[in-house]
Amino acid sequence: MTAHDEAPPVGGEDTALPRPHATAEEVEAALKDTKLAQVLYHDWEAETYDEKWAISYDERCVDYAKNRFELVAPGQRLPYGRALELGCGTGFFLLNLMQGGIAEKGSVTDLSPGMVKVALRNAEQLGLDVDGRVADAEGIPYPDDTFDLVVGHAVLHHIPDVQQALTEVLRVLKPGGRFVFAGEPTTVGNWYARKLGQITWHTTIAVTKLPFFKDWRRPKQELDESSRAAALEAVVDLHTFDPAQLREIGRQAGAQDVRVVTEELFAAFVGWPVRTFEAAVPQGKLGWGWAKFAFNSWKAMSWLDTWVAHKVVPDRFFYNALITGVKRG
């Protein structure tokens, strides 16, 4: 199948069924095959991904998605007609952008059948006009000049050849169409985020081994599964980006008006320990009060990032990079 051919839609008889877990043997094989690792890891995560990352399809996440879009591509004439989300995961970015009036009709693709299945289910529950295909970002299975907008969130760092993927994005965009990718880790930001996560994880596990914290201890089987997932995550996260490097990749792919911005410094210092702690304790142990505290803390730190950090700290020190560009014509 060439990049220009139509791939079968998800749900047909030939569609591979996602697996709920990866065995130790599968993980070992995936360590030598990046794209197998992508499928195993994201199939494994698909059914619990929204819960793990506190993803919702209400005002909170609609505003978050719109704000990311407007941060990197302000002043656009809306809505776009047909939009594609590349590496859609559970559909978080596109579905919330559609609810926020950014696009009218959508398509989703992902290398993981499990993720596409969940994204289409979420779209159906929201009453959104969305189709989906299992596809490799380096060979997008739609014809030239199909979409008005292509978006993605935390996807470029999973793709082996980012420039090839952006070249494909430009191919399927209509002349004058735009792409927007958000949530890409910077090189410096990824370093401190991982350090914060490791420290939080090991500290939490050590504390829960104490007798009076036994109710906060996750079962060994769940910890073993988390370890296998972490091993796959180390394989699927292929890149980090210097903002100037990411801008140049977009230009080399052939995009015009390429713009890269960054966000989350103080917010990352809070967000990564919080997310790691939530993953290290039993599900359901933390209640609504904790969720409210975590969200409000992130909002407060984001305010500091916008009004203080961005005025004095170089872009490369922030955690997230966002990129936009336009197809010639």
Side-chain angles (χ1 to χ4, degrees):
M1 178 179 293
T2 69
H4 299 250
D5 293 332
E6 290 282 342
V10 171
E13 292 182 1
D14 294 332
T15 301
L17 294 176
R19 303 180 182 216
H21 301 287
T23 66
E25 290 76 16
E26 286 173 324
V27 170
E28 184 176 356
L31 295 178
K32 304 172 185 176
D33 184 337
T34 296
K35 292 189 177 181
L36 173 60
Q38 300 285 355
V39 174
L40 288 178
Y41 177 74
H42 290 100
D43 274 359
W44 189 347
E45 295 276 291
E47 293 293 339
T48 58
Y49 197 76
D50 284 349
E51 180 181 5
K52 174 181 177 180
W53 294 104
I55 290 171
S56 62
Y57 301 90
D58 54 16
E59 183 179 358
R60 176 177 65 88
C61 281
V62 169
D63 287 346
Y64 177 88
K66 285 181 63 179
N67 289 342
R68 305 287 77 68
F69 186 92
E70 292 166 358
L71 175 65
V72 70
Q76 301 304 303
R77 294 183 62 184
L78 303 174
Y80 287 85
R82 187 177 182 188
L84 167 69
E85 182 169 12
L86 199 68
C88 64
T90 58
F92 154 72
F93 202 39
L94 178 61
L95 302 187
N96 281 313
L97 287 175
M98 290 178 70
Q99 291 191 102
I102 302 295
E104 295 175 324
K105 183 177 181 180
S107 300
V108 294
T109 64
D110 201 292
L111 200 59
S112 160
M115 286 295 191
V116 178
K117 174 185 174 183
V118 174
L120 291 176
R121 185 174 68 208
N122 286 337
E124 182 179 8
Q125 291 172 349
L126 294 167
L128 298 175
D129 186 1
V130 176
D131 64 81
R133 300 181 185 279
V134 176
D136 190 327
E138 295 173 6
I140 302 173
Y142 288 94
D144 297 2
D145 306 334
T146 298
F147 299 99
D148 303 288
L149 174 69
V150 175
V151 300
H153 191 278
V155 58
L156 295 181
H157 68 283
H158 292 310
I159 301 172
D161 191 335
V162 177
Q163 185 173 316
Q164 170 61 24
L166 290 180
T167 300
E168 277 290 281
V169 165
L170 291 167
R171 179 184 65 76
V172 301
L173 277 171
K174 297 175 182 177
R178 177 175 294 274
F179 65 78
V180 171
F181 290 93
E184 299 301 333
T186 66
T187 301
V188 175
N190 184 71
W191 178 82
Y192 63 67
R194 289 193 177 277
K195 290 296 182 184
L196 287 169
Q198 290 168 2
I199 292 169
T200 305
W201 177 268
H202 291 301
T203 301
T204 303
I205 297 301
V207 169
T208 57
K209 288 181 179 179
L210 298 174
F212 39 91
F213 284 117
K214 65 180 181 180
D215 290 343
W216 289 80
R217 191 181 308 158
R218 289 181 64 185
K220 184 179 184 304
Q221 181 181 355
E222 291 184 8
L223 290 175
D224 289 344
E225 287 185 1
S226 293
S227 295
R228 292 203 296 275
L232 283 176
E233 187 174 16
V235 178
V236 302
D237 290 345
L238 300 178
H239 308 288
T240 60
F241 301 100
D242 176 88
Q245 172 205 22
L246 184 58
R247 186 180 301 110
E248 185 59 24
I249 291 172
R251 289 172 177 165
Q252 290 295 321
Q256 289 185 315
D257 302 329
V258 179
R259 181 171 185 250
V260 173
V261 300
T262 58
E263 64 169 351
E264 291 198 10
L265 177 66
F266 295 129
F269 285 134
V270 170
W272 277 99
V274 165
R275 293 166 187 158
T276 305
F277 174 69
E278 291 171 346
V281 300
Q283 289 185 1
K285 195 68 177 176
L286 303 171
W288 171 247
W290 168 265
K292 187 176 180 180
F293 159 77
F295 181 60
N296 287 338
S297 297
W298 178 85
K299 284 181 64 178
M301 294 302 102
S302 295
W303 184 92
L304 280 177
D305 287 338
T306 299
W307 298 106
V308 178
H310 266 296
K311 298 181 185 300
V312 296
V313 180
D315 280 351
R316 68 180 183 276
F317 291 104
F318 287 78
Y319 175 70
N320 274 331
L322 304 85
I323 181 172
T324 189
V326 175
K327 181 172 179 174
R328 296 179 187 275

